[in-house]
Structures are given as structure tokens and as C-alpha cells.
Amino acid sequence: MKRRDFLKTSAIAGAALSLNFDNLHAALSSNTIAVEKAPDMVAVMGGEPEVMLDKALEALGGISKYIKKGQKVVIKPNIGWDRTPELAGNTNPALVKALVKRCLDAGASKVTVFDHTCDNWQKCYDSSGIAAAVKEAGGIIMPGNDEKYYKPVDLPLGKNLKSTAIHEALIEADAWINVPVLKNHGGAKLTCAMKNYMGIVWDRRFFHQNDLQQCIADVCTWNKKPVLNIVDAYRIMHQNGPQGKSAADIATLKSLIISPNIVAIDTAALGLFNQVKKLEMEAVGHIGKGEEFKLGTTSLDKLTIKRIKI
């Protein structure tokens, strides 16, 4: 049987990915194309995090396409808040655990996981379940709570942010994977792959004082790009982000999106978010600014996108 993938285009973004499955509103129009090459993006729905990750990686050509034997790898999830997994303030620990395992299976010499947390780092690491998950998988959990861990880097392409200090684990890594949770954010409006960079720097106050949207795009111009961006949308926080207040802020979508293209994946994630709560592309200014930097595209109709329903 000939295999076909489905590309969804969205009115709100001009072209945004719809995961138009049974438990989501049919918010976006669609067309259908045949795909015979490795996709630029994979969207999976309906499974548990480990299963969805494996399906997505298989569709992209396998983890070994991105992680090589002997490499030092960093996985950067969101671990910013003292919240349990059910409240979706942080990346799902089951996804982080599975990804650490896959990187080690690919021959990584070590896999380090960290975040510059907003709440107490030890409480964040423990309450999120990520510290235990990383250790169980054989990875290394590293704090990001002290300026001593950060080293200066130049951002010559940045407009407002010309330099910053980035965690040494990333600077020393051979490859890194960006693994945000999809959620609402009071300042940035949406926190996803580009916004997740704010957890790799020391001085976040500068971002908030000097045009947050522009600074998010600026830091994404750093020359060491993630080899993959993996958006955790198993549960999303659709209001009261980035911390959330209660389970009423959460929608369970059991979804995952994966792509090397950071602008495209945030565009796709916005399309998914809009099936729960409306958010205009213009409000999430860092996505368009990232496209201006040629970090990726918001025109998803130009990409090959594979959808998988489990």
C-alpha cells in the first residue's frame, strides 16, 4: 500500500500544522501530498511519551542520524518550576527518560540534562520527576543555579542581545537536543522551542528589560544549534503559564512534534495550541523574528510533514 502523509495549513499562521485527530477540534484546512523522502517534521498523537518518541525518531531515520558514537550530548528540557508532571509546568519526565536512553543506545559517551530553573533547582528537579528519570536512564543531571556554570559567548547576529553567558555543559557538548513543553506564557505568550533557550543562559533579566521577543530570537542565533527540537505536548498548559495554578489550566493532548527546524516546530506547536485556545501568530513575535534571522520557516506548506496516529 502506498504510504501518504498529510500536510495541514492554518489560517492563523498562513500555514500551521494541524494534528486533526478525534479528540481535537478540526480547526485547520488541509491538503494531501505523497511523501517519499525523510520528513522535515513528524507529528505523533495518541500514545505514551516513549512510544511517540520512538515512532517519531523512526520516521526521521533513527536517533543515530543525529547522535553519533562517542559524542557528549546535552538534553535541555523545561525543568523551571516546582510542579509535578500532571500540572505540565515542565517537560514530561517519561519523554526525557526515553530520550536519554535512546542517546546512550546510539553510543553517546555521556548524556547531561540541566535547566536554569525559576524555582529552587533541587525542588524543580525532584518534583518534576526529571532528576529520577535521568538517573534511572543512565544520564547525568546537572544544576544550573550558579553563575559559575556559565561562560560568555558572542551573538554577532543579535539585534538587542549581542552576547550572553551560556551553560558550560552546552558549550562543551558535541550535540544537544531541545525538549520544551508546550504552554502559555505571560510575557512571551507561548513558550516552546525558541523560548526554551532562556533556560540555557544566566542573565534572563536582560531579556525582560530589552524586548523579550527580540531577545528570544537573538539567543537562538547562537551558532551551536540543537540537532533536534522535540515538543512535548502530552499535556499542555493553555492558561496561567508559565507556572500554572491548577489542573484546570491543563489539556491532555498526548502529542509530540519533532523537527530540526526550530521556527517551523514553534509554528506547528502554535497551530496545535490554537486547537485548545486561540493565540494569534502576531502575539508570539519571536517566531517571526526567528524567521527573519533565517533560523527556519513559518511556511509549513514548504515542508514535508509526516503525521502518525497511534
Side-chain angles (χ1 to χ4, degrees), residues 75 77 79 96 100 111-115 125 130 134 140-142:
I75 294 171
I79 329 175
V96 178
V100 171
V111 179
T112 302
V113 179
F114 83 93
D115 192 12
Y125 280 28
I130 290 176
V134 170
I140 299 167
I141 194 82
M142 186 173 180

Side-chain angles (χ1 to χ4, degrees), residues 5 18 21 34 44 46 48 58 60 63 79 87 95 108 111-112 131 138 151 179 191 206 223 226 242 245 249 252 263:
D5 298 319
S18 169
F21 297 104
V44 189
E48 294 304 301
E58 180 184 8
L60 283 173
I63 188 67
I79 329 175
L87 294 177
L95 175 59
V111 179
T112 302
K151 297 180 179 179
V179 194
T191 176
F206 183 92
N223 59 10
K245 295 180 179 179
D249 302 326
T252 300
V263 173

Side-chain angles (χ1 to χ4, degrees), residues 214-281:
Q214 184 62 59
C215 286
I216 291 171
D218 288 349
V219 73
C220 291
T221 65
W222 185 42
N223 59 10
K224 183 178 282 189
K225 305 293 190 294
V227 294
L228 280 175
N229 302 282
I230 303 175
V231 173
D232 168 27
Y234 189 90
R235 302 179 187 91
I236 74 165
M237 185 184 297
H238 57 82
Q239 61 187 13
N240 294 319
Q243 299 185 59
K245 295 180 179 179
S246 71
D249 302 326
I250 310 308
T252 300
L253 303 186
K254 289 192 174 183
S255 300
L256 179 146
I257 312 173
I258 183 169
S259 177
N261 189 319
I262 196 167
V263 173
I265 203 168
D266 275 7
T267 303
L270 176 61
L272 177 58
F273 188 92
N274 267 274
Q275 295 192 34
V276 179
K277 180 161 289 189
K278 186 172 179 59
L279 179 63
E280 299 291 344
M281 170 69 83

Side-chain angles (χ1 to χ4, degrees), residues 43-300:
V44 189
M45 172 171 272
E48 294 304 301
E50 184 171 6
V51 174
M52 291 193 292
L53 176 66
D54 286 345
K55 292 287 186 182
L57 290 173
E58 180 184 8
L60 283 173
I63 188 67
S64 296
K65 182 177 176 181
Y66 304 95
I67 302 300
K68 308 303 181 184
K69 187 175 181 179
Q71 285 187 328
K72 294 179 291 185
V73 177
V74 166
I75 294 171
K76 168 56 181 75
N78 189 317
I79 329 175
W81 304 100
D82 181 10
R83 296 288 187 272
T84 59
E86 294 76 20
L87 294 177
N90 306 297
T91 305
N92 194 304
L95 175 59
V96 178
K97 181 177 181 178
L99 187 57
V100 171
K101 286 181 178 178
R102 298 302 171 268
C103 290
L104 290 171
D105 289 346
S109 60
K110 71 173 182 178
V111 179
T112 302
V113 179
F114 83 93
D115 192 12
H116 183 185
T117 66
C118 298
D119 290 337
N120 175 274
W121 74 274
Q122 291 172 313
K123 289 182 178 180
C124 292
Y125 280 28
D126 291 341
S127 296
S128 68
I130 290 176
V134 170
K135 291 173 184 176
E136 289 170 7
I140 299 167
I141 194 82
M142 186 173 180
N145 65 314
D146 195 306
E147 192 172 2
K148 70 182 181 182
Y149 296 119
Y150 297 80
K151 297 180 179 179
V153 301
D154 291 328
L155 301 170
L157 298 179
K159 292 185 177 180
N160 293 355
L161 189 68
K162 295 292 187 180
S163 64
T164 192
I166 287 178
H167 199 289
E168 64 186 11
L170 270 183
I171 291 174
E172 296 167 2
D174 298 304
W176 71 286
I177 301 176
N178 186 18
V179 194
V181 62
L182 175 59
K183 57 182 180 174
N184 165 252
H185 188 279
K189 305 307 177 186
L190 188 80
T191 176
C192 201
M194 292 180 69
K195 172 66 171 59
N196 202 38
Y197 268 66
M198 285 186 70
I200 74 174
V201 304
W202 175 250
D203 184 8
R204 294 180 295 218
R205 182 176 298 179
F206 183 92
F207 285 64
H208 290 282
Q209 295 175 340
N210 293 273
D211 188 345
L212 177 61
Q213 302 284 4
Q214 184 62 59
C215 286
I216 291 171
D218 288 349
V219 73
C220 291
T221 65
W222 185 42
N223 59 10
K224 183 178 282 189
K225 305 293 190 294
V227 294
L228 280 175
N229 302 282
I230 303 175
V231 173
D232 168 27
Y234 189 90
R235 302 179 187 91
I236 74 165
M237 185 184 297
H238 57 82
Q239 61 187 13
N240 294 319
Q243 299 185 59
K245 295 180 179 179
S246 71
D249 302 326
I250 310 308
T252 300
L253 303 186
K254 289 192 174 183
S255 300
L256 179 146
I257 312 173
I258 183 169
S259 177
N261 189 319
I262 196 167
V263 173
I265 203 168
D266 275 7
T267 303
L270 176 61
L272 177 58
F273 188 92
N274 267 274
Q275 295 192 34
V276 179
K277 180 161 289 189
K278 186 172 179 59
L279 179 63
E280 299 291 344
M281 170 69 83
E282 291 75 16
V284 192
H286 60 267
I287 298 178
K289 294 177 186 298
E291 185 171 43
E292 291 173 8
F293 280 134
K294 302 187 184 304
L295 300 177
T297 182
T298 61
S299 299
L300 300 186

